[in-house]
Amino acid sequence: MKEQSLTGRLVDGINYTLLLIVALVCVLPFIYILVASFTAPEELIKGGFVLFPTKFSLEGYRYILSTDIILSSLGVSVFITVAGTLCNLFFTALLAYPLAQKDVAGTKLVMRLVVFSMLFSGGMIPTYMMVRWTGLLDSTASLIIPGLISAFNLIIMRNFFQQLPEGLEEAARIDGASDPGILFRIVLPLSAPVLASLTLFYAVGHWNSYFNAVLYINDNALWPIQVWLRQIVILSQGGIGDSTQFGSDYVAPPAETIKMAVIVLSTLPILLVYPFLQKHFAKGALLGSVKG
């Protein structure tokens, strides 16, 4: 094995150091929030810890789980994420497949319109008026239907479909398969990498979305977890628990403790999904992005 020169080892050392610093900058805020959520309220206010809680406490979680507000909003977020992502993938595939065919008329015009929609959107007020006109206000459908197809993700899926061997589709047509049969029985089963990538894109988008919920939903029973997180973090409204369950002498934890616990609860589910999709993520996004 060829021995690495002193200059090479120095460059490698600098690269590793820089990468370590960047990784710490990215990870430390999450560690701080996680540790702070398990720190006793009085210690958190004083800032009397660094990376480990000096006094362990589950008071923040105990308080916010004393009512069903957080759990029901987590249920709303899970429903929006799962149902929304499935709808996104279904309709994106339905449009991407014909656009990937060379013998379909009008594909260039449709692609120009798709790219145009990436550059110029209708804006917030026209979109709100459209949602209201269609009767979607105060429903979870208002968080799914207006964004059924992402132009960026559509282009990635179309490009991926174009790279599949044409012989597969020709053989299926000779055997009598229809276009829907080819799409759902041949093309999609071979598209696991791009489907995994787009699943992650769409799922993270749905899980983190709160602005549309603030605009379209007035009923707080339909608020996703991110809206409650906004209420607590930005507006400093931590009073979401039920203090009556703890007795008359119970004092609710400070808003800072509640913030940390809610942030962990709202972030943990989507973090648990990522490892299952990570192995397909880079491959799918790269393969779908190469061909323009």
Side-chain angles (χ1 to χ4, degrees):
M1 180 181 294
K2 186 177 180 181
E3 187 176 353
Q4 193 175 23
S5 65
L6 178 61
T7 304
R9 283 181 290 180
L10 182 61
V11 171
D12 286 345
I14 294 174
N15 289 336
Y16 288 135
T17 303
L18 291 176
L19 289 174
L20 179 62
I21 293 173
V22 172
L24 290 176
V25 169
C26 295
V27 171
L28 281 179
F30 292 100
I31 296 176
Y32 172 79
I33 291 173
L34 180 63
V35 173
S37 70
F38 291 105
T39 302
E42 60 273 16
E43 295 297 318
L44 179 61
I45 294 175
K46 290 191 300 184
F49 72 96
V50 181
L51 290 179
F52 298 98
T54 52
K55 190 176 180 182
F56 184 82
S57 173
L58 292 174
E59 195 59 30
Y61 295 98
R62 181 171 171 241
Y63 179 70
I64 62 176
L65 295 178
S66 62
T67 66
D68 59 355
I69 291 176
I70 295 298
L71 292 180
S72 63
S73 61
L74 277 172
V76 172
S77 289
V78 170
F79 172 77
I80 294 171
T81 302
V82 174
T85 302
L86 290 176
C87 292
N88 290 138
L89 293 175
F90 179 75
F91 285 98
T92 303
L94 282 186
L95 182 56
Y97 179 66
L99 291 178
Q101 306 303 310
K102 296 179 180 177
D103 55 348
V104 175
T107 55
K108 290 185 178 179
L109 174 62
V110 175
M111 283 307 301
R112 289 193 181 98
L113 293 176
V114 169
V115 174
F116 182 83
S117 71
M118 294 176 65
L119 302 176
F120 304 98
S121 65
M124 182 179 66
I125 295 177
T127 305
Y128 176 83
M129 294 175 66
M130 179 63 71
V131 172
R132 187 179 65 175
W133 179 73
T134 53
L136 296 177
L137 286 180
D138 270 338
S139 70
T140 52
S142 64
L143 306 180
I144 297 175
I145 295 178
L148 271 180
I149 299 177
S150 161
F152 177 78
N153 294 339
L154 172 68
I155 293 174
I156 290 179
M157 183 174 282
R158 167 188 171 263
N159 292 344
F160 189 91
F161 287 167
Q162 286 181 330
Q163 296 173 20
L164 294 176
E166 296 181 6
L168 289 174
E169 296 184 28
E170 293 174 357
R173 293 186 194 282
I174 292 174
D175 290 339
S178 61
D179 286 327
I182 295 174
L183 173 61
F184 291 106
R185 298 175 61 183
I186 296 177
V187 174
L188 290 183
L190 295 174
S191 305
V194 73
L195 290 177
S197 301
L198 298 192
T199 296
L200 195 59
F201 287 154
Y202 280 128
V204 172
H206 282 299
W207 187 265
N208 290 332
S209 66
Y210 79 90
F211 189 66
N212 287 343
V214 172
L215 285 178
Y216 304 145
I217 297 179
N218 293 318
D219 184 2
N220 57 14
L222 297 178
W223 280 355
I225 185 66
Q226 304 300 340
V227 178
W228 281 111
L229 181 61
R230 169 184 174 273
Q231 295 292 107
I232 297 170
V233 174
I234 298 179
L235 303 180
S236 297
Q237 295 179 356
I240 61 173
D242 185 5
S243 299
T244 60
Q245 294 190 11
F246 305 104
S248 57
D249 57 343
Y250 178 78
V251 178
E256 195 68 20
T257 300
I258 300 173
K259 289 178 188 177
M260 300 302 171
V262 174
I263 290 173
V264 172
L265 285 179
S266 64
T267 308
L268 189 61
I270 199 68
L271 288 179
L272 295 178
V273 173
Y274 181 75
F276 297 100
L277 301 175
Q278 190 272 337
K279 66 177 182 180
H280 298 296
F281 179 71
K283 181 181 178 183
L286 182 62
L287 289 177
S289 309
V290 171
K291 192 172 182 180

